[in-house]
Amino acid sequence: MARNLTLAARLREVLLNGHWIANTNIKEQVLSVDWKQATLQIYKLNTIAALTYHLNYYLFGLLSALKTGRLEISDKFSFDHPVITSKEDWEKLVSEFVNNGLEFSNFIEQSDETFFDQPFIDEKYGTIQRNIEGVIEHSYYHLGQISLIRKIILQNQ
C-alpha cells in the first residue's frame, strides 16, 4: 500500500473510526461522555476536554503548517483551551476535532509520495513522514489517557 494511504488509514484508525490497536478511537471516546464528564477533574490529571483540545490544537496547527510551510503553533499554548460551560461548548470542540481529524487524514491521503520525505518546516524537525507518525503516536498516548479517565469517571457515577 502506498505511504499516503497507509498513513491516512493509521490516522483515521486512532482519531476517527478504528478498533484494531486499542479497540476504540478518540472520536468514540469523546462522543461517549457529556460536557460535565469531559470537564470533570480527576485527581490532578488533565480533563478529557483539555486532552481533546490539545489533540485538536496539533491537528489544526500541523495541517496548517503542511499547507503553508509556516509553523504557527507552540507547545506552550497547546493546553490553553476555552472554558467548557455547556453541552454546546463541548459539542463544538468535539465537532472541530472530528472535522480536523478528517481534513488532516484526507490531506495526507491526497499527498504525493515524494511529499513525505521532505523536511517538515525545518530539517531539525525531521521529515514530514516522521512528524505524521509522531501525530499518530501522540494520539495513541492521549487516547490511553482519555480512556482511563473516562473509565474512572463512569465507575464513580
Side-chain angles (χ1 to χ4, degrees):
M1 186 182 292
R3 272 193 290 184
N4 63 326
L5 300 178
T6 300
L7 290 169
R10 291 189 64 216
L11 285 162
R12 289 184 188 108
E13 173 83 21
V14 65
L15 299 173
L16 303 168
N17 60 20
H19 287 98
W20 183 57
I21 299 293
N23 201 34
T24 190
N25 57 74
I26 296 166
K27 177 183 173 185
E28 187 173 279
Q29 290 295 301
V30 300
L31 285 174
S32 70
V33 295
D34 63 33
W35 76 273
K36 289 182 181 180
Q37 293 166 327
T39 58
L40 185 62
Q41 183 78 50
I42 300 296
Y43 309 117
K44 292 185 180 186
L45 303 173
N46 286 309
T47 64
I48 292 172
L51 292 166
T52 304
Y53 176 85
H54 176 75
L55 288 162
N56 188 53
Y57 179 84
Y58 281 107
L59 287 173
F60 178 81
L62 294 176
L63 179 61
S64 176
L66 290 170
K67 288 180 175 181
T68 66
R70 292 185 318 273
L71 186 59
E72 298 176 341
I73 60 173
S74 174
D75 293 345
K76 67 182 176 181
F77 301 122
S78 68
F79 279 101
D80 291 353
H81 62 88
V83 177
I84 306 284
T85 60
S86 68
K87 175 183 176 185
E88 292 75 24
D89 291 343
W90 174 237
E91 288 174 350
K92 180 180 180 214
L93 176 57
V94 171
S95 178
E96 288 174 0
F97 168 79
V98 170
N99 290 336
N100 285 325
L102 282 168
E103 189 175 348
F104 193 96
S105 58
N106 289 341
F107 179 84
I108 297 307
E109 184 175 66
Q110 295 164 9
S111 296
D112 182 79
E113 182 68 20
T114 60
F115 177 72
F116 301 104
D117 294 322
Q118 296 175 26
F120 177 73
I121 309 303
D122 186 317
E123 287 188 16
K124 69 181 178 182
Y125 297 125
T127 65
I128 290 172
Q129 179 170 339
R130 180 174 186 258
N131 281 269
I132 295 166
E133 289 171 348
V135 169
I136 295 165
E137 293 165 10
H138 181 243
S139 297
Y140 273 113
Y141 171 74
H142 289 306
L143 171 58
Q145 292 177 319
I146 291 168
S147 296
L148 287 172
I149 293 166
R150 180 182 161 275
K151 285 181 183 185
I152 292 167
I153 290 169
L154 295 178
Q155 256 186 350
N156 291 316
Q157 289 188 339

